[in-house]
Amino acid sequence: MTAILQTRDLWKAFGGLIVTKNVNLSLAPGARHALIGPNGAGKTTLINQLTGVLSPSSGSVWLDGVDITRIPPNERVYRGLSRTFQINTLFPRLTPLEAVTNAICVRERTRLNILKRRFFRVSRCSTLIDEAYALLEQLNLAQDCLVETHTLAYGKQRLLEMALALAAKPKVLLLDEPAAGVPEGESDELFEVLNTLPKEISILLIEHDMNLVFNFANRITVLVNGEELVTGTPTEIADDPRVREVYLGKDH
Amino acid sequence: MHSFLGILFDGLAYGALLFVISVGLSITLGLMGFNNLAHGVFAMAGGYLLVTLMSKAGIGFLPALPIVFCVVALGSLVLERTLYRPLYKSTPLNQVLLTVGIIFIATAGANYIWGSGQQPVVIPGWLSGQYAVLGLDLSRYRLFLMAIVAVITFALVFGLERTRFGAKIRASVDNQRTAEAMGIRVERVFQLTFALGSGLAGLGGALGVDVLGLDPNFAIKYLVYFLLVVVVGGPGSVFGTLLAALLLGVADIAGKYYVPQLGAFIIYAAMIILLLLFPHGLLGRRKAK
Amino acid sequence: MSDNLAKVSRHLSFLRARERWKPAEIVFWLALVGVYFAFPTSLVFASQILITGLFALSLDMILGYAGIVTLGHAAFFGIGAYAAGLMAAHGWHEPLSGLLVAGLVAGIAGYLSSFLLSRGGDLTRLMITLGIGLLLFEVANSATKYTGGVDGLQGVEIGKLFGVFGFDLYGKTAYVYVLIIAFLLFAFTRSMMHSPYGLALRSIRENQTRALAIGIPISACLTNIYTIAAAIAGIAGALLTQTTQFVGIDVLSFQRSADLLIMLIIGGTATLYGGFVGAAVFLLAQDRLSNLNPQYWQFFLGILLIVMTLYLRSGMLGGLSRLADLFRHWRNKERS
């Protein structure tokens, strides 16, 4: 089974500091793959290289059999790679409906003729708006879709964060700590959303919430100091003494 | 003064003056990211204060200089507390608008109080005239300027590199959040640095009355130069500012002498090219937020 | 299910309501037509306000919608002004084609300079725009043979519109001409800003990182809007040349860029009308106060800027809309 997302010998250094060391990550189609590791292990840096925000010092990134290392970030989105951010990176003064519609219009831009794209009102793209609304409904944001994003509660913003990534109908979804800042009790809603994500989407999840990780992932990679320590099934990882020592602590 | 060395000397003196005025802007920009377009107002205030002290209060040139420094420094703190502080977290546009408003008020005020003409300044006798050095007639005043700037530069660099306060400044410029986490009171550091920088600007403005001229349009006229020096040199870097100021000084004087028909064209073209090559300044530090 | 359908159409109708031409807008444009009849002796001044408003609209496109802060927008105004002026001074007197050429030249200039803006942070960009504006001013200042330098370009003769309507001394033809062009360009801009393209621009302004992450090609979009805005600014400049039959070097000045910025802020950004409102308020106030005493004017501007940045963030139109919101809120409370 060929991997849908792959890095080959990925290296990244900032001056003398090596943040990504020879990473060969492989994401299988339909995967629920988690990336864990202590703080500063270089997980977000890795995501940034996958999305093209950062260029690797050497090595390559492959999406669906195509080398995308030189391809700019917005291009990668068209090819089916989408991400969420650890810190809410939203459009403060746009409403959720506008934000998601925007993402969908961007996705569909080659299918919209120039008049529709440039001069006709957004509301004429009613099918796209309906799709945006449906997506927001799925994520329980429908009732808040007409207020400006910055007025939404943190948890709702976190869900909108996901909605924006899903609007692109990605093949691969990179989730950067979706539960960050969400209090223990409220992470259930998030977990439900994660569980109901379409099976066709391959997901790479960075998380610190071990509950979420072990309930969600069928494959886990542990990243330490920019280097891959071990990759395996949840049970293998949980039992691995090296992982315990480095990350889970000696008491587990 | 027709030789290249003479022009170089003039350019360096001019650049030295620009440095003294602009270094405060560079540090505060690098430290707080606050776009203070009104920095020239402090220089202008220094100039007018010097002229007033000398003509109205009869204070001599040299004794007046430290007074100017202190008064402008204190005055800047008042401004900082009342007008600047509310906008630290605001958009660059708002900061630009606020400081442009301050420039307008200062310009109108100066016009009202001192009139629209150039202010004359009487340089003490021992500083006027020229020294003959290596076959060149070098203006004594410009030599004095360069000497003062050299002392100030040395003091700044020494202060930044060797004192604890300097270390706090550098830490805060590099990474504000971490500095705060380490117990450095960034706000206090900033206030003192701001006062210091503004005081230096006032001093520079006072020193520059003879070289740069002084009229109510000073702050607007030289705004571009100060910003240019800071942005090209790299906000937050003392050496970058020094380098850029000297380069700019020489380029401007040389340009005006050799190709007067192009006027300030050269400076602006040079600035654009330099900014394209070094978007973060010649020696700029990327601020880690 | 029908409940869902009802909800969806509510959202569509919410969007549609925002995009439709509101009564206030129609009143606005009709009032401008009315000015022709109500103030026949001030039409020259009125044309100036309209031209400046159009110029401010072009700035709104890049500042209010795309979020680029620039202090050199007068560069494109000036390029358009000189392009139209030079054409007329060298024998081509037809006004509409002059406008077209001016817009084209300014647009090309905008396109080329947009590439200089893609690097560096906000301050670097600000400096580059400032530098370009100042540079062009110096060029115009020195190239006296072509531009007339400080004395301005003379000999600008504009022919009759459609061969029929000559430009009279009272500015009647000029006013109608400017009004029609301004309205057409306004409608063009309005439809763009309400389209998916406009939505993408606003998202770039709101959060560039996220805009990139959902697939928007940021540099291409910014280059695009910058070019269009430059072209419109150029047309505004050409309008000034054609209606005054003169090109002064101040069309390229920093003062013009700075004043424009202030006007747009007064009126409020990203509302499409903010430019016109701001231009009207600014120019009318300047007319009154500057004549009293030019220093008072500058002082007043300074105070205004400080007050606005500290207390009134969204300009006059923003303030008005907030008042309208408050009023609506009060009405709703009264009802319940």
Side-chain angles (χ1 to χ4, degrees), chain A residues 82-170:
Chain A
S82 214
R83 76 169 287 181
T84 64
F85 289 81
Q86 182 183 348
I87 303 176
N88 282 330
T89 309
L90 303 168
F91 305 117
R93 283 176 293 176
L94 294 186
T95 62
L97 186 63
E98 284 177 309
V100 178
T101 306
N102 185 30
I104 295 179
C105 286
V106 173
R107 182 193 82 211
E108 293 294 307
R109 68 185 217 142
T110 46
R111 276 166 283 261
L112 292 171
N113 66 53
I114 185 152
L115 283 177
K116 259 203 151 171
R117 224 180 342 124
R118 285 283 192 121
F119 297 105
F120 288 172
R121 307 163 182 179
V122 176
S123 57
R124 279 179 76 145
C125 305
S126 45
T127 35
L128 300 183
I129 299 180
D130 287 353
E131 192 192 322
Y133 184 76
L135 179 58
L136 288 170
E137 247 186 337
Q138 257 188 311
L139 291 170
N140 221 349
L141 286 170
Q143 61 272 36
D144 304 297
C145 72
L146 292 179
V147 297
E148 289 189 5
T149 302
H150 67 91
T151 60
L152 290 177
Y154 182 82
K156 298 270 179 200
Q157 287 189 356
R158 218 76 196 101
L159 289 171
L160 181 58
E161 184 66 41
M162 192 118 35
L164 284 180
L166 289 172
K169 286 220 184 108

Side-chain angles (χ1 to χ4, degrees), chain C residues 14 81 91 115 131 142 183 203 206 323:
Chain C
F14 178 83
F115 293 107
S142 323
F183 179 72
S203 66
E206 289 297 305
L323 273 175

Side-chain angles (χ1 to χ4, degrees), chain A residues 42-73:
Chain A
K43 305 190 288 290
T44 300
T45 312
L46 184 60
I47 298 277
N48 283 336
Q49 289 173 75
L50 291 174
T51 55
V53 169
L54 276 180
S55 297
S57 305
S58 73
S60 52
V61 182
W62 293 74
L63 179 67
D64 215 0
V66 178
D67 186 352
I68 59 169
T69 324
R70 306 267 166 267
I71 295 184

